[in-house]
PDB file of all heavy atoms in Angstrom:
ATOM      1  N   THR N  76      -4.649 -17.398 -22.506  1.00  0.00           N
ATOM      2  CA  THR N  76      -5.347 -17.281 -21.303  1.00  0.00           C
ATOM      3  C   THR N  76      -6.703 -17.959 -21.393  1.00  0.00           C
ATOM      4  O   THR N  76      -7.156 -18.202 -22.537  1.00  0.00           O
ATOM      5  CB  THR N  76      -5.619 -15.729 -20.877  1.00  0.00           C
ATOM      6  OG1 THR N  76      -6.492 -15.224 -21.940  1.00  0.00           O
ATOM      7  CG2 THR N  76      -4.335 -14.951 -20.881  1.00  0.00           C
ATOM      8  N   PRO N  77      -7.293 -18.269 -20.202  1.00  0.00           N
ATOM      9  CA  PRO N  77      -8.679 -18.863 -20.260  1.00  0.00           C
ATOM     10  C   PRO N  77      -9.596 -18.088 -21.053  1.00  0.00           C
ATOM     11  O   PRO N  77     -10.499 -18.617 -21.819  1.00  0.00           O
ATOM     12  CB  PRO N  77      -9.063 -18.916 -18.839  1.00  0.00           C
ATOM     13  CG  PRO N  77      -7.830 -18.947 -18.040  1.00  0.00           C
ATOM     14  CD  PRO N  77      -6.759 -18.193 -18.837  1.00  0.00           C
ATOM     15  N   HIS N  78      -9.473 -16.725 -20.953  1.00  0.00           N
ATOM     16  CA  HIS N  78     -10.349 -15.901 -21.742  1.00  0.00           C
ATOM     17  C   HIS N  78     -10.172 -15.991 -23.178  1.00  0.00           C
ATOM     18  O   HIS N  78     -11.147 -16.019 -23.970  1.00  0.00           O
ATOM     19  CB  HIS N  78     -10.167 -14.410 -21.222  1.00  0.00           C
ATOM     20  CG  HIS N  78     -10.208 -14.243 -19.824  1.00  0.00           C
ATOM     21  ND1 HIS N  78      -9.202 -14.737 -18.976  1.00  0.00           N
ATOM     22  CD2 HIS N  78     -11.255 -13.761 -18.967  1.00  0.00           C
ATOM     23  CE1 HIS N  78      -9.637 -14.509 -17.729  1.00  0.00           C
ATOM     24  NE2 HIS N  78     -10.802 -13.931 -17.665  1.00  0.00           N
ATOM     25  N   GLU N  79      -8.910 -16.092 -23.645  1.00  0.00           N
ATOM     26  CA  GLU N  79      -8.642 -16.258 -25.043  1.00  0.00           C
ATOM     27  C   GLU N  79      -9.090 -17.664 -25.530  1.00  0.00           C
ATOM     28  O   GLU N  79      -9.577 -17.773 -26.703  1.00  0.00           O
ATOM     29  CB  GLU N  79      -7.130 -16.145 -25.259  1.00  0.00           C
ATOM     30  CG  GLU N  79      -6.684 -14.615 -25.154  1.00  0.00           C
ATOM     31  CD  GLU N  79      -5.178 -14.502 -25.130  1.00  0.00           C
ATOM     32  OE1 GLU N  79      -4.487 -15.485 -24.691  1.00  0.00           O
ATOM     33  OE2 GLU N  79      -4.713 -13.418 -25.456  1.00  0.00           O
ATOM     34  N   ARG N  80      -8.960 -18.633 -24.686  1.00  0.00           N
ATOM     35  CA  ARG N  80      -9.461 -19.996 -25.156  1.00  0.00           C
ATOM     36  C   ARG N  80     -11.016 -19.977 -25.272  1.00  0.00           C
ATOM     37  O   ARG N  80     -11.561 -20.503 -26.122  1.00  0.00           O
ATOM     38  CB  ARG N  80      -9.056 -21.100 -24.103  1.00  0.00           C
ATOM     39  CG  ARG N  80      -7.581 -21.391 -24.159  1.00  0.00           C
ATOM     40  CD  ARG N  80      -7.286 -22.762 -23.542  1.00  0.00           C
ATOM     41  NE  ARG N  80      -7.745 -22.997 -22.286  1.00  0.00           N
ATOM     42  CZ  ARG N  80      -7.169 -22.625 -21.089  1.00  0.00           C
ATOM     43  NH1 ARG N  80      -5.988 -22.027 -21.159  1.00  0.00           N
ATOM     44  NH2 ARG N  80      -7.689 -22.822 -19.956  1.00  0.00           N
ATOM     45  N   GLN N  81     -11.623 -19.196 -24.401  1.00  0.00           N
ATOM     46  CA  GLN N  81     -13.043 -19.137 -24.422  1.00  0.00           C
ATOM     47  C   GLN N  81     -13.485 -18.377 -25.708  1.00  0.00           C
ATOM     48  O   GLN N  81     -14.366 -18.818 -26.394  1.00  0.00           O
ATOM     49  CB  GLN N  81     -13.634 -18.383 -23.239  1.00  0.00           C
ATOM     50  CG  GLN N  81     -15.215 -18.344 -23.183  1.00  0.00           C
ATOM     51  CD  GLN N  81     -15.679 -17.826 -21.915  1.00  0.00           C
ATOM     52  OE1 GLN N  81     -15.550 -16.597 -21.632  1.00  0.00           O
ATOM     53  NE2 GLN N  81     -16.323 -18.630 -21.107  1.00  0.00           N
ATOM     54  N   ALA N  82     -12.801 -17.222 -25.988  1.00  0.00           N
ATOM     55  CA  ALA N  82     -13.110 -16.508 -27.190  1.00  0.00           C
ATOM     56  C   ALA N  82     -12.941 -17.382 -28.436  1.00  0.00           C
ATOM     57  O   ALA N  82     -13.777 -17.327 -29.373  1.00  0.00           O
ATOM     58  CB  ALA N  82     -12.282 -15.197 -27.235  1.00  0.00           C
ATOM     59  N   LEU N  83     -11.887 -18.167 -28.366  1.00  0.00           N
ATOM     60  CA  LEU N  83     -11.559 -19.077 -29.519  1.00  0.00           C
ATOM     61  C   LEU N  83     -12.729 -20.070 -29.741  1.00  0.00           C
ATOM     62  O   LEU N  83     -13.201 -20.338 -30.845  1.00  0.00           O
ATOM     63  CB  LEU N  83     -10.234 -19.721 -29.355  1.00  0.00           C
ATOM     64  CG  LEU N  83      -9.779 -20.486 -30.595  1.00  0.00           C
ATOM     65  CD1 LEU N  83      -9.469 -19.570 -31.725  1.00  0.00           C
ATOM     66  CD2 LEU N  83      -8.515 -21.313 -30.200  1.00  0.00           C
ATOM     67  N   LEU N  84     -13.110 -20.642 -28.568  1.00  0.00           N
ATOM     68  CA  LEU N  84     -14.268 -21.646 -28.697  1.00  0.00           C
ATOM     69  C   LEU N  84     -15.487 -21.004 -29.259  1.00  0.00           C
ATOM     70  O   LEU N  84     -16.249 -21.714 -29.888  1.00  0.00           O
ATOM     71  CB  LEU N  84     -14.469 -22.345 -27.329  1.00  0.00           C
ATOM     72  CG  LEU N  84     -13.542 -23.497 -27.046  1.00  0.00           C
ATOM     73  CD1 LEU N  84     -13.378 -23.876 -25.589  1.00  0.00           C
ATOM     74  CD2 LEU N  84     -13.998 -24.803 -27.831  1.00  0.00           C
ATOM     75  N   HIS N  85     -15.725 -19.767 -28.895  1.00  0.00           N
ATOM     76  CA  HIS N  85     -16.894 -19.110 -29.418  1.00  0.00           C
ATOM     77  C   HIS N  85     -16.803 -18.879 -30.919  1.00  0.00           C
ATOM     78  O   HIS N  85     -17.756 -18.931 -31.668  1.00  0.00           O
ATOM     79  CB  HIS N  85     -17.146 -17.729 -28.751  1.00  0.00           C
ATOM     80  CG  HIS N  85     -17.809 -17.866 -27.366  1.00  0.00           C
ATOM     81  ND1 HIS N  85     -19.085 -18.242 -27.220  1.00  0.00           N
ATOM     82  CD2 HIS N  85     -17.276 -17.779 -26.105  1.00  0.00           C
ATOM     83  CE1 HIS N  85     -19.389 -18.414 -25.891  1.00  0.00           C
ATOM     84  NE2 HIS N  85     -18.289 -18.083 -25.275  1.00  0.00           N
ATOM     85  N   LYS N  86     -15.597 -18.550 -31.325  1.00  0.00           N
ATOM     86  CA  LYS N  86     -15.267 -18.390 -32.763  1.00  0.00           C
ATOM     87  C   LYS N  86     -15.498 -19.761 -33.486  1.00  0.00           C
ATOM     88  O   LYS N  86     -16.076 -19.804 -34.603  1.00  0.00           O
ATOM     89  CB  LYS N  86     -13.863 -17.938 -33.009  1.00  0.00           C
ATOM     90  CG  LYS N  86     -13.709 -16.770 -33.932  1.00  0.00           C
ATOM     91  CD  LYS N  86     -12.338 -16.241 -33.981  1.00  0.00           C
ATOM     92  CE  LYS N  86     -11.888 -16.152 -35.416  1.00  0.00           C
ATOM     93  NZ  LYS N  86     -10.411 -15.812 -35.563  1.00  0.00           N
ATOM     94  N   VAL N  87     -14.969 -20.778 -32.901  1.00  0.00           N
ATOM     95  CA  VAL N  87     -15.179 -22.128 -33.474  1.00  0.00           C
ATOM     96  C   VAL N  87     -16.693 -22.440 -33.506  1.00  0.00           C
ATOM     97  O   VAL N  87     -17.127 -23.022 -34.525  1.00  0.00           O
ATOM     98  CB  VAL N  87     -14.416 -23.196 -32.531  1.00  0.00           C
ATOM     99  CG1 VAL N  87     -14.849 -24.576 -32.945  1.00  0.00           C
ATOM    100  CG2 VAL N  87     -12.883 -22.992 -32.740  1.00  0.00           C
ATOM    101  N   HIS N  88     -17.408 -22.140 -32.562  1.00  0.00           N
ATOM    102  CA  HIS N  88     -18.853 -22.327 -32.492  1.00  0.00           C
ATOM    103  C   HIS N  88     -19.455 -21.718 -33.707  1.00  0.00           C
ATOM    104  O   HIS N  88     -20.264 -22.345 -34.505  1.00  0.00           O
ATOM    105  CB  HIS N  88     -19.380 -21.810 -31.208  1.00  0.00           C
ATOM    106  CG  HIS N  88     -20.894 -21.680 -31.158  1.00  0.00           C
ATOM    107  ND1 HIS N  88     -21.597 -20.639 -31.816  1.00  0.00           N
ATOM    108  CD2 HIS N  88     -21.855 -22.509 -30.657  1.00  0.00           C
ATOM    109  CE1 HIS N  88     -22.867 -20.829 -31.611  1.00  0.00           C
ATOM    110  NE2 HIS N  88     -23.114 -21.951 -30.923  1.00  0.00           N
ATOM    111  N   ASP N  89     -19.090 -20.474 -33.984  1.00  0.00           N
ATOM    112  CA  ASP N  89     -19.765 -19.706 -35.105  1.00  0.00           C
ATOM    113  C   ASP N  89     -19.341 -20.290 -36.394  1.00  0.00           C
ATOM    114  O   ASP N  89     -20.069 -20.342 -37.383  1.00  0.00           O
ATOM    115  CB  ASP N  89     -19.336 -18.254 -35.031  1.00  0.00           C
ATOM    116  CG  ASP N  89     -19.966 -17.565 -33.739  1.00  0.00           C
ATOM    117  OD1 ASP N  89     -20.801 -18.184 -33.108  1.00  0.00           O
ATOM    118  OD2 ASP N  89     -19.551 -16.358 -33.455  1.00  0.00           O
ATOM    119  N   PHE N  90     -18.065 -20.741 -36.465  1.00  0.00           N
ATOM    120  CA  PHE N  90     -17.522 -21.291 -37.716  1.00  0.00           C
ATOM    121  C   PHE N  90     -18.213 -22.601 -38.063  1.00  0.00           C
ATOM    122  O   PHE N  90     -18.692 -22.801 -39.197  1.00  0.00           O
ATOM    123  CB  PHE N  90     -16.016 -21.539 -37.509  1.00  0.00           C
ATOM    124  CG  PHE N  90     -15.243 -21.576 -38.831  1.00  0.00           C
ATOM    125  CD1 PHE N  90     -14.799 -20.400 -39.449  1.00  0.00           C
ATOM    126  CD2 PHE N  90     -15.083 -22.762 -39.458  1.00  0.00           C
ATOM    127  CE1 PHE N  90     -14.100 -20.479 -40.618  1.00  0.00           C
ATOM    128  CE2 PHE N  90     -14.441 -22.919 -40.644  1.00  0.00           C
ATOM    129  CZ  PHE N  90     -13.918 -21.800 -41.265  1.00  0.00           C
ATOM    130  N   ILE N  91     -18.404 -23.465 -37.041  1.00  0.00           N
ATOM    131  CA  ILE N  91     -19.038 -24.747 -37.249  1.00  0.00           C
ATOM    132  C   ILE N  91     -20.585 -24.444 -37.626  1.00  0.00           C
ATOM    133  O   ILE N  91     -21.134 -25.166 -38.487  1.00  0.00           O
ATOM    134  CB  ILE N  91     -18.999 -25.639 -35.983  1.00  0.00           C
ATOM    135  CG1 ILE N  91     -17.514 -25.923 -35.663  1.00  0.00           C
ATOM    136  CG2 ILE N  91     -19.765 -26.949 -36.128  1.00  0.00           C
ATOM    137  CD1 ILE N  91     -16.792 -26.951 -36.368  1.00  0.00           C
ATOM    138  N   ASP N  92     -21.152 -23.487 -36.980  1.00  0.00           N
ATOM    139  CA  ASP N  92     -22.494 -23.096 -37.278  1.00  0.00           C
ATOM    140  C   ASP N  92     -22.665 -22.791 -38.732  1.00  0.00           C
ATOM    141  O   ASP N  92     -23.651 -23.198 -39.441  1.00  0.00           O
ATOM    142  CB  ASP N  92     -22.864 -21.941 -36.332  1.00  0.00           C
ATOM    143  CG  ASP N  92     -24.375 -21.584 -36.430  1.00  0.00           C
ATOM    144  OD1 ASP N  92     -25.150 -22.304 -37.000  1.00  0.00           O
ATOM    145  OD2 ASP N  92     -24.760 -20.508 -35.898  1.00  0.00           O
ATOM    146  N   GLN N  93     -21.810 -21.979 -39.235  1.00  0.00           N
ATOM    147  CA  GLN N  93     -21.890 -21.569 -40.569  1.00  0.00           C
ATOM    148  C   GLN N  93     -21.539 -22.633 -41.698  1.00  0.00           C
ATOM    149  O   GLN N  93     -21.951 -22.556 -42.833  1.00  0.00           O
ATOM    150  CB  GLN N  93     -20.958 -20.328 -40.847  1.00  0.00           C
ATOM    151  CG  GLN N  93     -21.563 -19.018 -40.298  1.00  0.00           C
ATOM    152  CD  GLN N  93     -20.486 -18.004 -39.873  1.00  0.00           C
ATOM    153  OE1 GLN N  93     -19.284 -18.123 -40.370  1.00  0.00           O
ATOM    154  NE2 GLN N  93     -20.882 -17.140 -38.915  1.00  0.00           N
ATOM    155  N   ASN N  94     -20.631 -23.462 -41.249  1.00  0.00           N
ATOM    156  CA  ASN N  94     -20.150 -24.544 -42.270  1.00  0.00           C
ATOM    157  C   ASN N  94     -20.700 -25.937 -41.937  1.00  0.00           C
ATOM    158  O   ASN N  94     -20.180 -26.959 -42.390  1.00  0.00           O
ATOM    159  CB  ASN N  94     -18.596 -24.545 -42.216  1.00  0.00           C
ATOM    160  CG  ASN N  94     -18.049 -23.275 -42.704  1.00  0.00           C
ATOM    161  OD1 ASN N  94     -17.965 -23.003 -43.952  1.00  0.00           O
ATOM    162  ND2 ASN N  94     -17.646 -22.408 -41.811  1.00  0.00           N
ATOM    163  N   TYR N  95     -21.796 -26.030 -41.201  1.00  0.00           N
ATOM    164  CA  TYR N  95     -22.269 -27.270 -40.761  1.00  0.00           C
ATOM    165  C   TYR N  95     -22.775 -28.219 -41.887  1.00  0.00           C
ATOM    166  O   TYR N  95     -22.609 -29.468 -41.802  1.00  0.00           O
ATOM    167  CB  TYR N  95     -23.361 -27.123 -39.687  1.00  0.00           C
ATOM    168  CG  TYR N  95     -23.609 -28.449 -38.997  1.00  0.00           C
ATOM    169  CD1 TYR N  95     -22.721 -29.007 -38.031  1.00  0.00           C
ATOM    170  CD2 TYR N  95     -24.682 -29.281 -39.425  1.00  0.00           C
ATOM    171  CE1 TYR N  95     -22.956 -30.248 -37.480  1.00  0.00           C
ATOM    172  CE2 TYR N  95     -24.949 -30.488 -38.825  1.00  0.00           C
ATOM    173  CZ  TYR N  95     -24.003 -30.941 -37.941  1.00  0.00           C
ATOM    174  OH  TYR N  95     -24.272 -32.168 -37.355  1.00  0.00           O
ATOM    175  N   ASP N  96     -23.415 -27.619 -42.820  1.00  0.00           N
ATOM    176  CA  ASP N  96     -24.083 -28.471 -43.908  1.00  0.00           C
ATOM    177  C   ASP N  96     -23.135 -29.441 -44.551  1.00  0.00           C
ATOM    178  O   ASP N  96     -23.391 -30.625 -44.777  1.00  0.00           O
ATOM    179  CB  ASP N  96     -24.665 -27.614 -44.982  1.00  0.00           C
ATOM    180  CG  ASP N  96     -25.954 -26.978 -44.452  1.00  0.00           C
ATOM    181  OD1 ASP N  96     -26.485 -27.350 -43.324  1.00  0.00           O
ATOM    182  OD2 ASP N  96     -26.506 -26.010 -45.144  1.00  0.00           O
ATOM    183  N   GLU N  97     -21.859 -28.954 -44.733  1.00  0.00           N
ATOM    184  CA  GLU N  97     -20.896 -29.819 -45.432  1.00  0.00           C
ATOM    185  C   GLU N  97     -20.504 -31.010 -44.416  1.00  0.00           C
ATOM    186  O   GLU N  97     -20.293 -32.180 -44.913  1.00  0.00           O
ATOM    187  CB  GLU N  97     -19.598 -29.066 -45.731  1.00  0.00           C
ATOM    188  CG  GLU N  97     -18.601 -29.920 -46.396  1.00  0.00           C
ATOM    189  CD  GLU N  97     -17.237 -29.256 -46.638  1.00  0.00           C
ATOM    190  OE1 GLU N  97     -17.111 -28.035 -46.611  1.00  0.00           O
ATOM    191  OE2 GLU N  97     -16.197 -30.054 -46.704  1.00  0.00           O
ATOM    192  N   LEU N  98     -20.405 -30.679 -43.209  1.00  0.00           N
ATOM    193  CA  LEU N  98     -19.958 -31.690 -42.238  1.00  0.00           C
ATOM    194  C   LEU N  98     -21.115 -32.781 -42.180  1.00  0.00           C
ATOM    195  O   LEU N  98     -20.863 -33.995 -42.143  1.00  0.00           O
ATOM    196  CB  LEU N  98     -19.810 -31.155 -40.860  1.00  0.00           C
ATOM    197  CG  LEU N  98     -18.551 -30.234 -40.672  1.00  0.00           C
ATOM    198  CD1 LEU N  98     -18.626 -29.547 -39.333  1.00  0.00           C
ATOM    199  CD2 LEU N  98     -17.281 -31.121 -40.770  1.00  0.00           C
ATOM    200  N   ALA N  99     -22.383 -32.297 -42.128  1.00  0.00           N
ATOM    201  CA  ALA N  99     -23.501 -33.263 -42.092  1.00  0.00           C
ATOM    202  C   ALA N  99     -23.489 -34.235 -43.276  1.00  0.00           C
ATOM    203  O   ALA N  99     -23.741 -35.427 -43.188  1.00  0.00           O
ATOM    204  CB  ALA N  99     -24.871 -32.530 -41.963  1.00  0.00           C
ATOM    205  N   LEU N 100     -23.306 -33.598 -44.448  1.00  0.00           N
ATOM    206  CA  LEU N 100     -23.280 -34.472 -45.709  1.00  0.00           C
ATOM    207  C   LEU N 100     -22.084 -35.440 -45.699  1.00  0.00           C
ATOM    208  O   LEU N 100     -22.289 -36.583 -46.052  1.00  0.00           O
ATOM    209  CB  LEU N 100     -23.183 -33.494 -46.905  1.00  0.00           C
ATOM    210  CG  LEU N 100     -23.169 -34.252 -48.294  1.00  0.00           C
ATOM    211  CD1 LEU N 100     -24.309 -35.128 -48.495  1.00  0.00           C
ATOM    212  CD2 LEU N 100     -23.086 -33.198 -49.446  1.00  0.00           C
ATOM    213  N   LEU N 101     -20.922 -34.977 -45.195  1.00  0.00           N
ATOM    214  CA  LEU N 101     -19.747 -35.921 -45.131  1.00  0.00           C
ATOM    215  C   LEU N 101     -20.039 -37.090 -44.224  1.00  0.00           C
ATOM    216  O   LEU N 101     -19.716 -38.186 -44.477  1.00  0.00           O
ATOM    217  CB  LEU N 101     -18.594 -35.126 -44.558  1.00  0.00           C
ATOM    218  CG  LEU N 101     -17.671 -34.334 -45.497  1.00  0.00           C
ATOM    219  CD1 LEU N 101     -16.563 -33.701 -44.698  1.00  0.00           C
ATOM    220  CD2 LEU N 101     -17.017 -35.274 -46.559  1.00  0.00           C
ATOM    221  N   GLU N 102     -20.705 -36.735 -43.051  1.00  0.00           N
ATOM    222  CA  GLU N 102     -20.920 -37.746 -42.062  1.00  0.00           C
ATOM    223  C   GLU N 102     -21.926 -38.861 -42.690  1.00  0.00           C
ATOM    224  O   GLU N 102     -21.802 -40.031 -42.517  1.00  0.00           O
ATOM    225  CB  GLU N 102     -21.516 -37.166 -40.836  1.00  0.00           C
ATOM    226  CG  GLU N 102     -21.774 -38.185 -39.642  1.00  0.00           C
ATOM    227  CD  GLU N 102     -20.661 -38.321 -38.821  1.00  0.00           C
ATOM    228  OE1 GLU N 102     -19.489 -38.208 -39.202  1.00  0.00           O
ATOM    229  OE2 GLU N 102     -20.870 -38.647 -37.600  1.00  0.00           O
ATOM    230  N   SER N 103     -22.952 -38.299 -43.393  1.00  0.00           N
ATOM    231  CA  SER N 103     -23.906 -39.178 -43.956  1.00  0.00           C
ATOM    232  C   SER N 103     -23.273 -40.117 -45.024  1.00  0.00           C
ATOM    233  O   SER N 103     -23.488 -41.278 -45.058  1.00  0.00           O
ATOM    234  CB  SER N 103     -25.071 -38.379 -44.544  1.00  0.00           C
ATOM    235  OG  SER N 103     -26.062 -39.153 -45.167  1.00  0.00           O
ATOM    236  N   LEU N 104     -22.428 -39.497 -45.912  1.00  0.00           N
ATOM    237  CA  LEU N 104     -21.709 -40.297 -46.899  1.00  0.00           C
ATOM    238  C   LEU N 104     -20.809 -41.304 -46.369  1.00  0.00           C
ATOM    239  O   LEU N 104     -20.774 -42.447 -46.818  1.00  0.00           O
ATOM    240  CB  LEU N 104     -21.024 -39.377 -47.851  1.00  0.00           C
ATOM    241  CG  LEU N 104     -21.826 -38.400 -48.694  1.00  0.00           C
ATOM    242  CD1 LEU N 104     -20.887 -37.437 -49.409  1.00  0.00           C
ATOM    243  CD2 LEU N 104     -22.612 -39.170 -49.796  1.00  0.00           C
ATOM    244  N   ASP N 105     -20.103 -40.981 -45.305  1.00  0.00           N
ATOM    245  CA  ASP N 105     -19.014 -41.755 -44.783  1.00  0.00           C
ATOM    246  C   ASP N 105     -19.564 -42.886 -43.851  1.00  0.00           C
ATOM    247  O   ASP N 105     -18.987 -43.974 -43.864  1.00  0.00           O
ATOM    248  CB  ASP N 105     -18.055 -40.853 -43.992  1.00  0.00           C
ATOM    249  CG  ASP N 105     -16.704 -41.491 -43.882  1.00  0.00           C
ATOM    250  OD1 ASP N 105     -16.403 -42.510 -44.508  1.00  0.00           O
ATOM    251  OD2 ASP N 105     -15.847 -40.950 -43.169  1.00  0.00           O
ATOM    252  N   MET N 106     -20.511 -42.554 -43.090  1.00  0.00           N
ATOM    253  CA  MET N 106     -20.961 -43.626 -42.116  1.00  0.00           C
ATOM    254  C   MET N 106     -22.407 -44.100 -42.324  1.00  0.00           C
ATOM    255  O   MET N 106     -22.859 -45.028 -41.678  1.00  0.00           O
ATOM    256  CB  MET N 106     -20.698 -43.210 -40.678  1.00  0.00           C
ATOM    257  CG  MET N 106     -21.534 -42.076 -40.254  1.00  0.00           C
ATOM    258  SD  MET N 106     -22.044 -42.109 -38.560  1.00  0.00           S
ATOM    259  CE  MET N 106     -22.952 -43.576 -38.396  1.00  0.00           C
ATOM    260  N   GLY N 107     -23.141 -43.410 -43.254  1.00  0.00           N
ATOM    261  CA  GLY N 107     -24.530 -43.943 -43.535  1.00  0.00           C
ATOM    262  C   GLY N 107     -25.615 -43.362 -42.725  1.00  0.00           C
ATOM    263  O   GLY N 107     -26.810 -43.822 -42.854  1.00  0.00           O
ATOM    264  N   VAL N 108     -25.323 -42.514 -41.736  1.00  0.00           N
ATOM    265  CA  VAL N 108     -26.320 -41.942 -40.999  1.00  0.00           C
ATOM    266  C   VAL N 108     -27.327 -41.114 -41.874  1.00  0.00           C
ATOM    267  O   VAL N 108     -26.855 -40.449 -42.765  1.00  0.00           O
ATOM    268  CB  VAL N 108     -25.753 -41.014 -39.855  1.00  0.00           C
ATOM    269  CG1 VAL N 108     -24.951 -39.850 -40.429  1.00  0.00           C
ATOM    270  CG2 VAL N 108     -26.815 -40.508 -38.905  1.00  0.00           C
ATOM    271  N   PRO N 109     -28.657 -41.186 -41.636  1.00  0.00           N
ATOM    272  CA  PRO N 109     -29.496 -40.380 -42.497  1.00  0.00           C
ATOM    273  C   PRO N 109     -29.121 -38.919 -42.385  1.00  0.00           C
ATOM    274  O   PRO N 109     -28.852 -38.454 -41.278  1.00  0.00           O
ATOM    275  CB  PRO N 109     -30.858 -40.624 -41.868  1.00  0.00           C
ATOM    276  CG  PRO N 109     -30.804 -42.032 -41.214  1.00  0.00           C
ATOM    277  CD  PRO N 109     -29.398 -42.095 -40.743  1.00  0.00           C
ATOM    278  N   LEU N 110     -29.081 -38.302 -43.530  1.00  0.00           N
ATOM    279  CA  LEU N 110     -28.707 -36.885 -43.580  1.00  0.00           C
ATOM    280  C   LEU N 110     -29.509 -36.012 -42.583  1.00  0.00           C
ATOM    281  O   LEU N 110     -28.980 -35.125 -41.859  1.00  0.00           O
ATOM    282  CB  LEU N 110     -28.789 -36.302 -44.969  1.00  0.00           C
ATOM    283  CG  LEU N 110     -28.322 -34.936 -45.183  1.00  0.00           C
ATOM    284  CD1 LEU N 110     -26.828 -34.689 -44.764  1.00  0.00           C
ATOM    285  CD2 LEU N 110     -28.493 -34.487 -46.715  1.00  0.00           C
ATOM    286  N   SER N 111     -30.789 -36.335 -42.497  1.00  0.00           N
ATOM    287  CA  SER N 111     -31.663 -35.521 -41.569  1.00  0.00           C
ATOM    288  C   SER N 111     -31.198 -35.680 -40.133  1.00  0.00           C
ATOM    289  O   SER N 111     -31.302 -34.673 -39.436  1.00  0.00           O
ATOM    290  CB  SER N 111     -33.153 -35.985 -41.720  1.00  0.00           C
ATOM    291  OG  SER N 111     -33.241 -37.343 -41.519  1.00  0.00           O
ATOM    292  N   ARG N 112     -30.782 -36.844 -39.798  1.00  0.00           N
ATOM    293  CA  ARG N 112     -30.255 -37.082 -38.421  1.00  0.00           C
ATOM    294  C   ARG N 112     -28.992 -36.300 -38.214  1.00  0.00           C
ATOM    295  O   ARG N 112     -28.765 -35.640 -37.194  1.00  0.00           O
ATOM    296  CB  ARG N 112     -30.119 -38.582 -38.170  1.00  0.00           C
ATOM    297  CG  ARG N 112     -29.649 -38.916 -36.811  1.00  0.00           C
ATOM    298  CD  ARG N 112     -29.554 -40.349 -36.564  1.00  0.00           C
ATOM    299  NE  ARG N 112     -28.739 -40.766 -35.516  1.00  0.00           N
ATOM    300  CZ  ARG N 112     -29.106 -40.960 -34.247  1.00  0.00           C
ATOM    301  NH1 ARG N 112     -30.364 -40.707 -34.005  1.00  0.00           N
ATOM    302  NH2 ARG N 112     -28.269 -41.246 -33.283  1.00  0.00           N
ATOM    303  N   ALA N 113     -28.088 -36.401 -39.197  1.00  0.00           N
ATOM    304  CA  ALA N 113     -26.834 -35.692 -39.051  1.00  0.00           C
ATOM    305  C   ALA N 113     -27.034 -34.159 -38.994  1.00  0.00           C
ATOM    306  O   ALA N 113     -26.383 -33.429 -38.160  1.00  0.00           O
ATOM    307  CB  ALA N 113     -25.920 -35.999 -40.272  1.00  0.00           C
ATOM    308  N   GLN N 114     -28.037 -33.657 -39.733  1.00  0.00           N
ATOM    309  CA  GLN N 114     -28.371 -32.246 -39.608  1.00  0.00           C
ATOM    310  C   GLN N 114     -28.875 -31.905 -38.231  1.00  0.00           C
ATOM    311  O   GLN N 114     -28.612 -30.902 -37.708  1.00  0.00           O
ATOM    312  CB  GLN N 114     -29.340 -31.886 -40.668  1.00  0.00           C
ATOM    313  CG  GLN N 114     -28.657 -31.679 -42.061  1.00  0.00           C
ATOM    314  CD  GLN N 114     -29.607 -31.700 -43.270  1.00  0.00           C
ATOM    315  OE1 GLN N 114     -30.699 -32.216 -43.164  1.00  0.00           O
ATOM    316  NE2 GLN N 114     -29.173 -31.230 -44.410  1.00  0.00           N
ATOM    317  N   GLY N 115     -29.677 -32.841 -37.703  1.00  0.00           N
ATOM    318  CA  GLY N 115     -30.280 -32.714 -36.395  1.00  0.00           C
ATOM    319  C   GLY N 115     -29.233 -32.602 -35.301  1.00  0.00           C
ATOM    320  O   GLY N 115     -29.535 -32.022 -34.186  1.00  0.00           O
ATOM    321  N   PHE N 116     -28.021 -33.139 -35.523  1.00  0.00           N
ATOM    322  CA  PHE N 116     -26.975 -33.046 -34.511  1.00  0.00           C
ATOM    323  C   PHE N 116     -26.431 -31.637 -34.301  1.00  0.00           C
ATOM    324  O   PHE N 116     -25.629 -31.429 -33.318  1.00  0.00           O
ATOM    325  CB  PHE N 116     -25.822 -33.970 -34.865  1.00  0.00           C
ATOM    326  CG  PHE N 116     -26.048 -35.440 -34.699  1.00  0.00           C
ATOM    327  CD1 PHE N 116     -25.308 -36.407 -35.462  1.00  0.00           C
ATOM    328  CD2 PHE N 116     -26.994 -35.962 -33.841  1.00  0.00           C
ATOM    329  CE1 PHE N 116     -25.499 -37.695 -35.344  1.00  0.00           C
ATOM    330  CE2 PHE N 116     -27.239 -37.271 -33.727  1.00  0.00           C
ATOM    331  CZ  PHE N 116     -26.453 -38.178 -34.456  1.00  0.00           C
TER     332      PHE N 116
END
Side-chain angles (χ1 to χ4, degrees):
T76 64
H78 307 73
E79 287 167 335
R80 291 201 306 274
Q81 185 174 66
L83 188 66
L84 274 159
H85 282 289
K86 226 173 133 189
V87 166
H88 169 277
D89 295 348
F90 202 87
I91 301 278
D92 189 7
Q93 282 150 23
N94 294 282
Y95 189 80
D96 286 350
E97 182 192 335
L98 289 171
L100 179 57
L101 274 180
E102 183 89 330
S103 180
L104 293 170
D105 201 10
M106 65 145 301
V108 61
L110 183 58
S111 57
R112 181 177 160 89
Q114 282 161 339
F116 286 157

